[in-house]
């Protein structure tokens, strides 16, 4: 077992990018436009372009007078500049590497499926949660991403999907906070981003909260806070293990909030929102894939959340460079699914998109290879 890194909750002292339209709630946009000396209605026009037509290019905003466009540029500073794009899975998986204003790097992954289009986005540059099997966790935290930087990943993905990069024009339907970072460690900015994403267009991107999933290592107070936001997004909890002794090492934050506490928060979340909670479980060969752990997982989820309120998502481990860990053999995986289902709990195995381009779950680690 590798030596655990220290957990990082505090904000590293790094300059955040300039204020962006997407940082602002609809009610604050008029004031921001007035501060620039323009009439308030320009705020609506600008929002219509950015959130409605998905453009941040002032040259495309031909209904705005040239002088106003120049002034409004102050609210659309370039935030996440594309650096590279890699494609695999027959063009249906596209990983984008982005650079922030200060050079930090983050990644997002657009995935086309027959029935939906999903983007997996980052909430932090790096991550401070130090899970030993996750590539991002090995690089530490560089900084939080701003609301604008989070929203702009979604805006650019929605635009690319609309413009047909997946072979035909599609509508971005699903957003998963499963890229780099721990979203609930960047709580305020992530919740503001959730609002921008789900507010109806053209005030926001108009994506249904039902299509949005926030994945967390299990920061209990933040889960409870999220439950009270009135945002019915799906909560995914990275459990990876049903017993504390092993989870203390796989998900080091377990030393702070243990399994019973995390599952209690998950149950309260399901009760408050009416949404089924997703439990993520990366199956690691001979580490957490034993039949008895499958039985124990089924039992604790039944007892502590309720069989109907929970779904288990098994993720075949994507080995990260330098790690001795590997995915479980398929027969072991099948037996694990069978036992969880025998406890009356729905259980699926996630497909592992993007493996050839290091875009699969837990492989995003842009900062480790600048
Ligand atoms: N910080 C959030 C989001 C992380 S990424 C969280 O921990 O939930 C989303 C999922 O990918 C998490 O469940 C994470 O544990 C999992 N993951 C990380 N590294 C992985 C790897 N190498 N193989 C499979 N899944 C991995």
């Amino acid at each position: 077992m590798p030596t655990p890194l220290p957990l990082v909750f505090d904000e590293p002292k790094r300059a955040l990018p300039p204020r962006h339209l997407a940082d602002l709630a609809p009610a604050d946009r008029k004031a921001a436009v007035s501060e620039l000396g323009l009439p308030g209605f320009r705020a609506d026009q600008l929002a219509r372009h950015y959130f409605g037509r998905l453009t941040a290019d002032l040259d495309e905003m031909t209904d705005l007078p040239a002088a106003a466009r120049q002034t409004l540029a102050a609210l659309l500073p370039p935030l996440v500049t594309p650096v590279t794009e890699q494609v695999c899975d027959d063009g249906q998986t596209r990983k984008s590497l982005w650079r922030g204003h200060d050079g930090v790097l983050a990644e997002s992954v657009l995935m086309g499926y027959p029935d939906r289009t999903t983007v997996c986005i980052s909430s932090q540059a790096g991550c401070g949660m130090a899970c030993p099997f996750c590539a991002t966790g090995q690089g530490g935290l560089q900084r939080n991403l701003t609301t604008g930087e989070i929203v702009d990943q979604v805006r650019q993905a929605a635009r690319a999907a609309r413009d047909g990069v997946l072979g035909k024009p599609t509508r971005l339907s699903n957003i998963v906070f499963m890229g780099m970072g721990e979203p609930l460690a960047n709580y305020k900015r992530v919740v503001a981003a959730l609002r921008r994403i789900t507010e109806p267009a053209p005030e926001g991107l108009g994506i249904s909260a039902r299509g949005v999933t926030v994945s967390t290592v299990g920061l209990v107070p933040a889960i409870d806070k999220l439950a009270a936001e009135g945002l019915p997004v799906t909560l995914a909890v990275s459990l990876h293990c049903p017993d504390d002794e092993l989870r203390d090492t796989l998900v080091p934050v377990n030393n702070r909030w243990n399994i019973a506490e995390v599952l209690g928060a998950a149950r309260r979340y399901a009760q408050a929102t009416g949404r089924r909670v997703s439990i993520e479980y990366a199956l690691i060969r001979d580490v957490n894939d034993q039949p008895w752990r499958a039985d124990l997982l089924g039992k604790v989820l039944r007892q502590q959340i309720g069989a109907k309120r929970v779904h288990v998502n098994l993720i075949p481990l994507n080995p990260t460079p330098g790690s001795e860990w590997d995915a479980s053999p398929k027969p072991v995986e099948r037996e694990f699914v069978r036992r969880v289902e025998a406890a009356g709990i729905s259980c699926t195995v996630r497909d592992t998109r993007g493996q050839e381009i290091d875009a699969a779950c837990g492989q995003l680690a842009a900062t480790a290879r600048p």
Side-chain angles (χ1 to χ4, degrees):
M1 202 67 76
T3 324
L5 299 165
L7 297 188
V8 183
F9 292 99
D10 300 333
E11 186 129 348
K13 298 264 168 300
R14 278 182 91 131
L16 294 177
R19 183 175 70 162
H20 187 278
L21 176 74
D23 290 318
L24 302 174
D28 299 328
R29 292 176 196 157
K30 273 202 175 66
V33 164
S34 308
E35 271 169 37
L36 296 171
L38 292 174
F41 68 86
R42 297 283 183 222
D44 287 338
Q45 280 179 302
L46 193 62
R48 213 163 288 145
H49 282 292
Y50 182 84
F51 294 104
R53 300 195 192 114
L54 307 174
T55 184
D57 181 353
L58 289 146
D59 293 335
E60 291 179 21
M61 305 182 189
T62 48
D63 58 333
L64 289 163
R69 273 188 248 170
Q70 265 183 4
T71 311
L72 289 169
L75 285 175
L76 294 177
L79 289 181
V80 292
T81 314
V83 182
T84 53
E85 196 187 33
Q86 284 174 279
V87 180
C88 74
D89 299 329
D90 212 11
Q92 296 304 294
T93 302
R94 315 179 71 93
K95 178 174 83 166
S96 302
L97 172 65
W98 310 101
R99 192 193 312 279
H101 78 120
D102 54 350
V104 297
L105 297 170
E107 293 175 313
S108 62
V109 187
L110 181 64
M111 290 162 285
Y113 298 90
D115 59 334
R116 66 188 191 281
T117 299
T118 299
V119 68
C120 174
I121 58 168
S122 297
S123 56
Q124 299 182 308
C127 186
M129 296 297 113
C131 301
F133 56 89
C134 172
T136 311
Q138 301 319 292
L141 177 65
Q142 278 78 60
R143 68 165 167 85
N144 285 319
L145 297 185
T146 61
T147 299
E149 288 172 315
I150 297 168
V151 173
D152 210 50
Q153 294 172 61
V154 180
R155 195 239 346 142
Q156 298 205 37
R159 183 182 168 109
R162 180 198 69 191
D163 293 348
V165 293
L166 296 169
K168 61 174 186 329
T170 59
R171 213 180 60 78
L172 183 67
S173 52
N174 293 71
I175 322 281
V176 297
F177 282 76
M178 296 187 184
M180 301 167 75
E182 166 50 44
L184 297 188
N186 185 15
Y187 186 85
K188 265 194 343 221
R189 298 185 189 91
V190 165
V191 167
L194 292 172
R195 298 204 185 282
R196 289 310 91 74
I197 290 166
T198 55
E199 273 150 2
E203 302 243 283
L205 291 170
I207 294 169
S208 161
R210 300 189 154 266
V212 179
T213 299
V214 174
S215 179
T216 178
V217 287
L219 307 185
V220 166
I223 294 174
D224 283 327
K225 235 165 116 183
L226 187 65
E229 297 282 354
L231 279 163
V233 297
T234 298
L235 179 75
V237 175
S238 295
L239 198 67
H240 303 315
C241 178
D243 50 295
D244 283 316
E245 196 185 343
L246 178 59
R247 193 169 190 266
D248 279 348
T249 64
L250 290 181
V251 185
V253 80
N254 197 66
N255 294 281
R256 186 117 155 208
W257 293 286
N258 66 22
I259 292 174
E261 292 170 302
V262 171
L263 295 183
R267 185 192 59 245
R268 294 190 293 276
Y269 189 88
Q271 284 167 337
T273 60
R275 309 284 299 153
R276 201 157 69 149
V277 171
S278 196
I279 297 292
E280 289 166 285
Y281 199 111
L283 270 186
I284 314 175
R285 177 183 212 143
D286 297 333
V287 172
N288 64 354
D289 63 354
Q290 301 81 359
W292 71 265
R293 279 206 162 92
D295 294 340
L296 182 61
L297 178 67
K299 187 172 150 205
V300 297
L301 294 181
R302 270 188 88 84
Q303 287 176 347
Q304 301 193 40
I305 302 186
K308 296 286 164 266
R309 290 211 180 97
V310 65
H311 172 86
V312 174
N313 219 319
L314 296 178
I315 315 171
L317 182 85
N318 289 306
T320 56
S323 157
E324 288 162 19
W325 288 334
D326 206 351
S328 304
K330 284 292 154 191
V332 172
E333 182 184 284
R334 278 195 293 274
E335 180 61 10
F336 203 94
V337 173
R338 197 188 65 72
R339 286 173 183 257
V340 173
E341 284 178 338
I345 289 166
S346 69
C347 178
T348 48
V349 179
R350 178 177 302 167
D351 76 332
T352 49
R353 284 288 188 91
Q355 261 168 332
E356 303 149 44
I357 54 171
D358 287 347
C361 308
Q363 289 180 339
L364 300 183
T367 44
R369 31 187 162 73

